[in-house]
Amino acid sequence: MKKFLYKVIGMSLLTIGVLGLSTFINYMLSNYDDSLRMKKNINTLILGDSHTKYALNDNILNDTYNLSQNADSYFDSYLKLKQVDKINPQLDTVFLSFSQHNIHKCIENRWLLNPAHLRDRLKLYTPFLGAEECLFLLEKRPEEFITGLFNQIQYPINFLFNNDDLFGGYDELEHNILKQEIENQKKNGIRQEYKSFNDAPLELKYLKKIVKYCNENNITLILINPPLHKSLQNKQDGLYKFYKKNFSNIPFLDFSKIAMKDSCFGDMVHLNPSGSKYFSKLIKQEDLFNINHARAHNFLHE
Amino acid sequence: MLFNSIDFALFLPIVFVLYWFVTNRNLKLQNFLLVVASYLFYGWWDWRFLSLILFSTIVDYSIGRKLGVENNHNKRKILLWASILVNLGFLGFFKYYNFFLDNFIAAFSFFGAEIKANSLNIILPVGISFYTFQTLSYTIDVYKRKLEPTKDLIAFTAFVSFFPQLVAGPIERATHLLPQFYKKRTFDYSKAADGMRQILWGLFKKIVIADNCAEFANQIFNNSADFNGSTLVLGALFFTFQIYGDFSGYSDIAIGTSRLFGFDLMRNFNFPYFSRDIAEFWRRWHISLSTWFRDYLYIPLGGSRGGTWMKIRNTFIIFIVSGFWHGANWTFIAWGTLNAIYFLPLLITKNNRNHLDTVALGKYLPSAKEAFSMLFTFGLTVFAWIFFRANSIKHAFSYISEIFSTSLFELPKFDDMRSASITTMLVLIFVLAEWFGRERQFALAFKESNSMKESILRKIVYLIIIYSIFVFGGTQQDFIYFQF
């Protein structure tokens, strides 16, 4: 029995040892990951999900670095923010996607708490996890957390054969389904996250952590709500109440009601390349990332 | 509780420690611990159905005791039939009630008679087909006086509910498993180490092979009208490896877990996809069920004694019943019938026992003839699996007709080509591992040696498998055979 127990414990320790070594190597590698490194003259970071990813073209807004990624929850953004800040000391401003779906319970279940989503994200983000995040995942999604720990072994491959889009970045939206979505909305009603509002407690928790992190590290945080199709513009009461209740001291640039033609949208919530070009140019020309200018143009939600 | 879950990863070491360190001095206590653990294991899924297992246990225990003292032939027969009726009654109600009702209604309406009856919303208790057959084997063997009826209720309860094989087999014979509960178990290092290896290999089969193949098999079978012939062929192949990885993986975990507790379960799979004819396939696939039907149905029906027509009749009966055992759907009956048709030429020409050894024994590669025979048999098996997996007979035929269309020559299409390629690569690596391990009990059954080099190599292989399970593991799916 002793021999058996020694062997089982030995094998378990070996597995954990390899895991620890791979985490350490990945942690070191992530400090040199170019996809997380901003140019020296850029000190503004854009984080968030597909809304900011497809809306804000950082080739036009060339004093910003867009690292938004499809379906990034605030938990994902928090991990990314900490790592980007660590290797980019010049970072001083963060624009963060803040739309109704970001803080809606149904999206929390679809993204943050979705096992497949977590497994996919942890392949990349495991080296960025702190003790608190590990405990959070162990409590909420233990199987995905453990799988994620093992999955990070793939990170060096990603690092070596660097895929620029791995952590996010501006991209051109490929689909064009606005007409179908309008038809669909007529038939089946408005999409769930704009129909009724149930706030997402875990997303709230990590959004608050982002706020706290920015405060502690002298980073200006600005919430941003990209343009929405006109049929959804007046369905955001949940968002505004949530903002007023929790984050009214954080600047909030609300571009959701900006008048844009249907031809600018790939679907009801995402801008297509021409929409993104128009929107990014507008921000650049009017200097709308400047709070005072945004206020003057009525884009600052107060 | 699923074998591939964190719950089980915590449950197993706790039971192991209690079994070998706390209850090891008292056999009854050790058996009682196994009963408690097994009921907890089963109740984790749905505690309400524990009463069903308990009822079956008490009925068969009592009938067994009565059979032990009863010498009147007619009364013994009545006791046997009482056990069969109770056990098959439960099985029939939970598994086949709606099937028979729907088919009776359809048959009567075909002749113009309208019958009004409502189907019931019945939940199928997990593993009912497995433990029903296991308890039946006890009563039948006691009836045939092959086995002394047990007086030890705890041992009998542990035999019926033994958690490693409770929900998906191997279906054990009372003559083999029950006596193991009477004897004091001593810890055997090589048995336990082998058990751990078998668990690891079973997890690999289930999580890496079956769960990944399941994603594509489900996608293709559930939307078969959207795919071309070549993709449908791949869908059938993915299902072929899904069902093998799933079920043989479960059996490996069950056998390996039992070995940790000092028990030997019967082998359930013996590299079936390397069979050279269908008869060999059926000696290697779900062995515990095939031999159960052979011993308790085929032989009592007359087996291969008697004339040709008798043999044909018995063969059809056993294959059709075997198909029907899997589920209340005509697709399973079609699958069973198809296998009977495959088997028949071998039986009639008395070639059904040609291949009793392992293919290409002691060689790296098979001969051209062996390779052709294996591929042909594999092709027949894949074809039959289409009926097994299809939602209905109509679906199976439309699936097959699309395969045999010009779209067979188009390139396969998948939404996620990268994942499909990775899964295909994993399956190929798995087939190679199985091929080179086919002379062993299972592919990973290494022999212990004191050589440092071999020990390091073994550990590297274990690490690669452990990491593969996490890195390449597919989305968690239920074990297919739970539904049977």
Side-chain angles (χ1 to χ4, degrees):
Chain A
M1 176 63 92
K2 263 188 190 171
K3 187 180 171 189
F4 176 75
L5 290 179
Y6 282 143
K7 290 239 173 181
V8 170
I9 293 168
M11 196 62 216
S12 307
L13 288 177
L14 183 65
T15 309
I16 293 167
V18 173
L19 200 61
L21 184 69
S22 105
T23 309
F24 177 73
I25 292 171
N26 292 346
Y27 176 75
M28 299 305 285
L29 285 178
S30 68
N31 291 335
Y32 298 95
D33 198 317
D34 284 342
S35 53
L36 294 170
R37 197 171 293 280
M38 295 156 67
K39 284 181 190 160
K40 288 269 185 265
N41 60 336
I42 294 177
N43 50 15
T44 300
L45 176 70
I46 300 167
L47 288 177
D49 57 4
S50 54
H51 288 214
T52 39
K53 179 186 174 83
Y54 296 115
L56 297 166
N57 184 341
D58 53 4
N59 295 318
I60 296 169
L61 298 163
N62 51 10
D63 52 352
T64 65
Y65 187 52
N66 190 344
L67 258 187
S68 310
Q69 182 61 299
N70 291 336
D72 255 6
S73 64
Y74 285 132
F75 177 76
D76 303 326
S77 295
Y78 175 62
L79 295 175
K80 211 151 55 174
L81 169 64
K82 285 197 300 175
Q83 185 63 12
V84 173
D85 183 37
K86 203 172 89 184
I87 57 177
N88 298 282
Q90 77 275 25
L91 176 69
D92 63 16
T93 308
V94 170
F95 285 90
L96 181 66
S97 178
F98 185 70
S99 303
Q100 180 145 311
H101 69 280
N102 291 116
I103 35 110
H104 197 288
K105 183 76 185 157
C106 70
I107 297 290
E108 178 173 286
N109 292 334
R110 219 180 293 164
W111 293 355
L112 177 55
L113 295 176
N114 180 326
H117 174 88
L118 259 180
R119 277 175 67 140
D120 189 52
R121 284 299 192 269
L122 289 174
K123 275 181 204 169
L124 287 173
Y125 293 174
T126 297
F128 312 155
L129 293 172
E132 207 179 319
E133 290 89 68
C134 290
L135 288 173
F136 166 78
L137 289 173
L138 260 180
E139 186 201 334
K140 297 289 175 194
R141 287 288 180 269
E143 286 184 27
E144 284 67 37
F145 173 61
I146 293 167
T147 308
L149 284 179
F150 282 89
N151 261 307
Q152 56 154 336
I153 204 162
Q154 299 169 68
Y155 179 71
I157 299 168
N158 295 325
F159 180 83
L160 289 172
F161 306 99
N162 198 357
N163 177 349
D164 287 341
D165 196 30
L166 226 48
F167 287 100
Y170 168 74
D171 205 356
E172 294 191 346
L173 185 70
E174 284 178 0
H175 67 237
N176 186 12
I177 52 167
L178 181 66
K179 274 185 185 168
Q180 286 115 286
E181 287 206 341
I182 292 171
E183 286 301 311
N184 212 12
Q185 185 165 288
K186 277 180 194 162
K187 256 191 231 163
N188 305 322
I190 203 161
R191 54 176 70 200
Q192 197 186 351
E193 57 268 33
Y194 288 92
K195 201 187 303 179
S196 59
F197 184 73
N198 295 305
D199 59 351
L202 296 174
E203 289 289 34
L204 171 64
K205 179 181 169 181
Y206 278 92
L207 183 50
K208 282 184 173 170
K209 277 184 177 289
I210 292 174
V211 172
K212 192 177 170 215
Y213 182 86
C214 289
N215 282 339
E216 286 172 356
N217 293 279
N218 296 321
I219 296 169
T220 305
L221 176 68
I222 298 164
L223 303 173
I224 181 168
N225 190 11
L228 270 182
H229 186 260
K230 54 190 177 228
S231 61
L232 295 176
Q233 286 173 359
N234 295 320
K235 310 283 181 190
Q236 303 181 89
D237 292 347
L239 174 75
Y240 299 134
K241 278 182 194 162
F242 182 88
Y243 170 74
K244 199 175 172 185
K245 188 178 163 193
N246 299 293
F247 299 103
S248 54
N249 55 336
I250 309 289
F252 174 24
L253 301 185
D254 185 9
F255 297 110
S256 65
K257 291 175 183 169
I258 198 167
M260 287 180 82
K261 290 177 190 166
D262 277 8
S263 59
C264 290
F265 288 90
D267 57 40
M268 285 193 167
V269 292
H270 295 112
L271 294 181
N272 61 21
S274 66
S276 163
K277 194 174 172 185
Y278 171 80
F279 179 53
S280 302
K281 275 188 174 170
L282 181 75
I283 291 174
K284 179 94 176 161
Q285 279 162 9
E286 304 295 334
D287 194 16
L288 296 176
F289 274 175
N290 178 315
I291 301 290
N292 294 328
H293 290 182
R295 181 181 284 125
H297 285 83
N298 284 329
F299 288 124
L300 186 70
H301 187 88
E302 287 175 303
Chain B
M1 204 180 288
L2 289 173
F3 279 160
N4 52 335
S5 67
I6 288 212
D7 300 334
F8 187 71
L10 296 172
F11 169 85
L12 183 61
I14 292 170
V15 179
F16 181 85
V17 168
L18 291 174
Y19 184 85
W20 289 115
F21 294 101
V22 179
T23 60
N24 57 324
R25 292 201 180 156
N26 184 325
L27 183 64
K28 274 208 182 304
L29 199 60
Q30 220 175 23
N31 285 341
F32 184 69
L33 172 74
L34 286 178
V35 171
V36 173
S38 300
Y39 274 59
L40 182 70
F41 178 87
Y42 193 86
W44 209 261
W45 168 71
D46 194 331
W47 59 269
R48 290 171 301 173
F49 293 118
L50 284 174
S51 56
L52 222 57
I53 299 178
L54 187 64
F55 186 74
S56 272
T57 306
I58 292 168
V59 166
D60 284 298
Y61 174 78
S62 311
I63 287 177
R65 292 290 303 268
K66 287 234 163 82
L67 280 171
V69 291
E70 185 58 66
N71 288 317
N72 181 299
H73 181 69
N74 287 337
K75 283 185 181 171
R76 286 175 63 78
K77 218 166 203 176
I78 289 169
L79 286 168
L80 173 70
W81 277 104
S83 166
I84 292 173
L85 284 175
V86 167
N87 284 299
L88 294 186
F90 279 140
L91 186 63
F93 174 74
F94 283 102
K95 198 163 175 175
Y96 302 108
Y97 175 82
N98 283 336
F99 174 81
F100 281 116
L101 185 73
D102 294 345
N103 280 285
F104 271 124
I105 293 170
F108 275 98
S109 68
F110 181 77
F111 292 108
E114 284 292 318
I115 295 177
K116 280 187 181 172
N118 293 325
S119 300
L120 299 178
N121 188 15
I122 301 170
I123 303 169
L124 183 66
V126 165
I128 189 167
S129 310
F130 291 90
Y131 67 75
T132 299
F133 273 42
Q134 188 154 309
T135 49
L136 271 179
S137 86
Y138 168 78
T139 319
I140 297 170
D141 286 347
V142 170
Y143 171 78
K144 288 182 172 176
R145 298 192 195 279
K146 283 184 184 171
L147 181 72
E148 276 296 305
T150 182
K151 290 175 184 163
D152 186 342
L153 180 60
I154 293 174
F156 184 72
T157 311
F159 155 74
V160 176
S161 62
F162 189 43
F163 74 87
Q165 44 89 248
L166 171 61
V167 289
I171 303 165
E172 277 296 331
R173 302 305 155 71
T175 45
H176 178 240
L177 183 59
L178 189 56
Q180 296 184 53
F181 285 96
Y182 303 152
K183 281 185 251 162
K184 184 168 169 56
R185 273 86 63 181
T186 46
F187 186 81
D188 177 345
Y189 168 76
S190 56
K191 203 181 202 179
D194 222 31
M196 287 297 283
R197 279 190 279 271
Q198 197 157 3
I199 292 173
L200 184 63
W201 189 239
L203 286 170
F204 177 83
K205 280 180 177 177
K206 165 65 185 157
I207 298 171
V208 178
I209 301 302
D211 287 354
N212 275 307
C213 287
E215 285 179 37
F216 294 102
N218 292 342
Q219 188 191 342
I220 294 167
F221 271 92
N222 295 341
N223 308 286
S224 55
D226 301 339
F227 292 101
N228 60 25
S230 58
T231 316
L232 295 183
V233 169
L234 286 177
L237 282 168
F238 278 129
F239 180 70
T240 300
F241 285 101
Q242 180 199 347
I243 194 159
Y244 175 60
D246 192 286
F247 194 19
S248 73
Y250 187 95
S251 295
D252 280 337
I253 302 168
I255 295 167
T257 306
S258 304
R259 304 193 97 191
L260 291 180
F261 294 93
F263 287 88
D264 282 315
L265 298 186
M266 72 182 293
R267 193 177 193 181
N268 217 12
F269 289 86
N270 186 8
F271 306 99
Y273 291 153
F274 300 138
S275 300
R276 287 152 289 182
D277 59 39
I278 282 294
E280 187 185 9
F281 176 82
W282 279 105
R283 279 192 297 275
R284 292 171 176 274
W285 179 273
H286 201 174
I287 299 165
S288 64
L289 181 72
S290 311
T291 51
W292 198 101
F293 277 125
R294 182 195 65 199
D295 295 345
Y296 299 112
L297 186 63
Y298 186 68
I299 292 172
L301 282 171
S304 52
R305 286 166 294 163
T308 308
W309 285 112
M310 180 78 104
K311 281 184 204 170
I312 293 172
R313 185 202 72 172
N314 292 348
T315 302
F316 268 95
I317 288 174
I318 194 170
F319 274 107
I320 290 170
V321 172
S322 170
F324 200 46
W325 175 91
H326 285 84
N329 195 325
W330 286 103
T331 52
F332 295 117
I333 296 172
W335 171 75
T337 310
L338 193 56
N339 274 286
I341 294 167
Y342 290 164
F343 188 83
L344 224 50
L346 296 169
L347 184 76
I348 293 168
T349 56
K350 294 186 178 166
N351 282 317
N352 56 318
R353 295 187 67 78
N354 280 355
H355 302 298
L356 298 175
D357 58 343
T358 302
V359 63
L361 195 67
K363 293 179 197 159
Y364 279 120
L365 294 171
S367 66
K369 188 185 167 200
E370 284 170 332
F372 176 77
S373 311
M374 280 193 294
L375 274 176
F376 182 68
T377 309
F378 182 71
L380 291 176
T381 315
V382 175
F383 186 76
W385 285 134
I386 294 174
F387 285 91
F388 191 96
R389 175 59 182 81
N391 304 326
S392 62
I393 297 283
K394 197 179 159 195
H395 179 215
F397 278 116
S398 71
Y399 194 101
I400 291 163
S401 66
E402 187 57 41
I403 286 180
F404 292 107
S405 70
T406 50
S407 69
L408 178 65
F409 303 101
E410 292 171 8
L411 281 174
K413 283 178 200 158
F414 291 99
D415 290 342
D416 187 350
M417 210 59 192
R418 186 172 168 269
S419 297
S421 310
I422 291 173
T423 301
T424 308
M425 284 299 296
L426 289 168
V427 168
L428 290 175
I429 292 167
F430 169 66
V431 171
L432 281 178
E434 290 267 292
W435 173 258
F436 289 111
R438 72 194 184 284
E439 289 173 27
R440 300 192 279 259
Q441 279 285 316
F442 56 97
L444 204 62
F446 297 137
K447 278 184 186 157
E448 288 281 328
S449 82
N450 293 327
S451 152
M452 181 66 116
K453 195 176 148 193
E454 281 184 27
S455 168
I456 291 171
L457 269 176
R458 273 203 309 272
K459 285 186 177 61
I460 291 172
V461 171
Y462 300 152
L463 270 180
I464 290 172
I465 294 174
I466 292 169
Y467 271 85
S468 303
I469 288 170
F470 287 102
V471 173
F472 297 113
T475 311
Q476 192 186 58
Q477 317 259 348
D478 276 351
F479 285 92
I480 295 179
Y481 268 68
F482 277 15
Q483 62 187 296
F484 305 142

